[in-house]
Amino acid sequence: MSTYPAPRRRRTAPGAFLVLAVTLALTGCAGSPGSTAATAGASTAAADVTITDPWVKAADSGMSAAFGTLENAGTGDVTVMSVQSAASAIVQLHETVANAAGEMVMQQKKDGLVIPAGGSLELAPGGNHIMLMGLTSPLRAGDEATFTLTLSDGSTVDFTAVAKDYTGANETYTGGMNMETPK
Ligand SMILES: [Cu+2]
């Protein structure tokens, strides 16, 4: 009788499902500010926004403010989110409101200032303004200061304001931020 070796049934490893448990550490991809990608094909908010008669209050040091009329030719509201200028260590968007005692005080508008669609937003003494806290050098009448507005879609508008002597716009600041020692 022939004896065949008993068929050895090799057991192939079943399936070998290699489940790769890949733990993806979610690296903070919350989008870095200032790198907002422009929407392809769409015009930016900046294309619709202009400023007329920009000026800045002349001052030797400390605080000043910039004014002008912002216009929005677009069909959607545009919010000015922030302002930058080499003329001042801190630049903020301010509004002027009456406090509980009835005094006019100014405070930061942290959510920005809205320029309505097809309309305008006036920046004027006693009202909304661009606040400069910590002038980097004296602003004398006739000097120019350049500003960059950052709009809600991340686009920017540059403008140059001429310094004028002006005795108003001395509202008390009650923003709650330390403005004594701007860095
Ligand atoms: Cu102010």
Side-chain angles (χ1 to χ4, degrees), residues 71-89:
E71 284 168 50
N72 173 11
T75 53
D77 293 353
V78 171
T79 304
V80 180
M81 303 304 294
S82 62
V83 191
Q84 288 192 309
S85 175
S88 177

Side-chain angles (χ1 to χ4, degrees), residues 64-65 94-96 106-107 129-132 171 173:
S64 182
H94 276 193
E95 62 179 348
T96 307
M106 59 185 177
Q107 62 190 16
H129 55 276
I130 295 167
M131 190 77 203
L132 285 70
E171 286 83 9
Y173 179 58

Side-chain angles (χ1 to χ4, degrees), residues 129-155:
H129 55 276
I130 295 167
M131 190 77 203
L132 285 70
M133 293 187 284
L135 291 180
T136 50
S137 60
L139 270 178
R140 305 225 158 85
D143 287 350
E144 291 185 338
T146 302
F147 295 83
T148 300
L149 308 176
T150 299
L151 308 179
S152 31
D153 69 346
S155 61

Side-chain angles (χ1 to χ4, degrees), residues 23-61:
T23 305
L24 282 175
L26 290 176
T27 51
C29 45
S32 51
S35 66
T36 309
T39 310
S43 63
T44 61
D48 293 324
V49 170
T50 53
I51 185 164
T52 53
D53 300 328
W55 63 282
V56 59
K57 182 182 170 180
D60 288 334
S61 62

